[in-house]
Amino acid sequence: MTVRFTKDHEWIRVENGIGVVGITDYAQKQLGDIVFVELPQVGAKVAKGAQAGVVESVKAASEVYAPAGGEVVEINGALADNPAAVNSAAESGGWFYKIRLADAKDLDDAMDKAAYDAYVAGLH
């Protein structure tokens, strides 16, 4: 299992060619109380870096970008009823969608946890 992070504050946890995608804990803290999440449709094909969803908070709306390309195989439908789950568990139960990776090399430029933490620390 590999977890990678993007500069756009998405994370992806990959296991057996399937990536679970969400926004980082840092991102949810910056957004504040999440009130709505728009997810891609199952079966949709997304390209690396393309918009794959939207997250709205009391402060702002923000696009969610695909950290890797592939086909969406599952969405976290529980977020429709409880978008605040992103605030309480951004990097676990608050995941957005699962994707079958088209090419694992898409993640070659993504950061590991230590590199992402250093990146975030540099933002302040």
Side-chain angles (χ1 to χ4, degrees), residues 1-6 10-23 39-44 46 52 64-76 90-92 94-107 110:
M1 180 171 59
T2 302
V3 181
R4 295 292 190 178
F5 299 84
T6 71
E10 289 89 15
W11 59 267
I12 182 168
R13 183 179 60 240
V14 179
E15 189 170 339
N16 298 324
I18 302 293
V20 182
V21 178
I23 64 170
L39 302 171
Q41 293 191 349
V42 172
V46 296
V64 177
Y65 300 105
E71 179 182 355
V72 176
V73 295
E74 185 178 343
I75 60 170
N76 186 354
E91 296 181 19
S92 56
W95 60 277
F96 283 43
Y97 64 93
K98 295 182 180 179
I99 186 170
R100 179 174 294 112
L101 298 179
D103 187 350
K105 290 182 180 180
D106 278 357
L107 298 175

Side-chain angles (χ1 to χ4, degrees), residues 27-110:
Q28 69 82 17
K29 286 179 181 171
Q30 295 300 306
L31 287 166
D33 294 336
I34 306 289
V35 295
F36 177 77
V37 174
E38 180 182 305
L39 302 171
Q41 293 191 349
V42 172
K45 306 258 195 239
V46 296
K48 177 183 177 180
Q51 182 178 338
V54 175
V55 59
E56 292 182 21
S57 72
V58 294
K59 292 182 180 176
S62 182
E63 292 82 16
V64 177
Y65 300 105
E71 179 182 355
V72 176
V73 295
E74 185 178 343
I75 60 170
N76 186 354
L79 292 182
D81 294 331
N82 184 21
V86 178
N87 291 116
S88 60
E91 296 181 19
S92 56
W95 60 277
F96 283 43
Y97 64 93
K98 295 182 180 179
I99 186 170
R100 179 174 294 112
L101 298 179
D103 187 350
K105 290 182 180 180
D106 278 357
L107 298 175
D108 285 352
D109 60 348

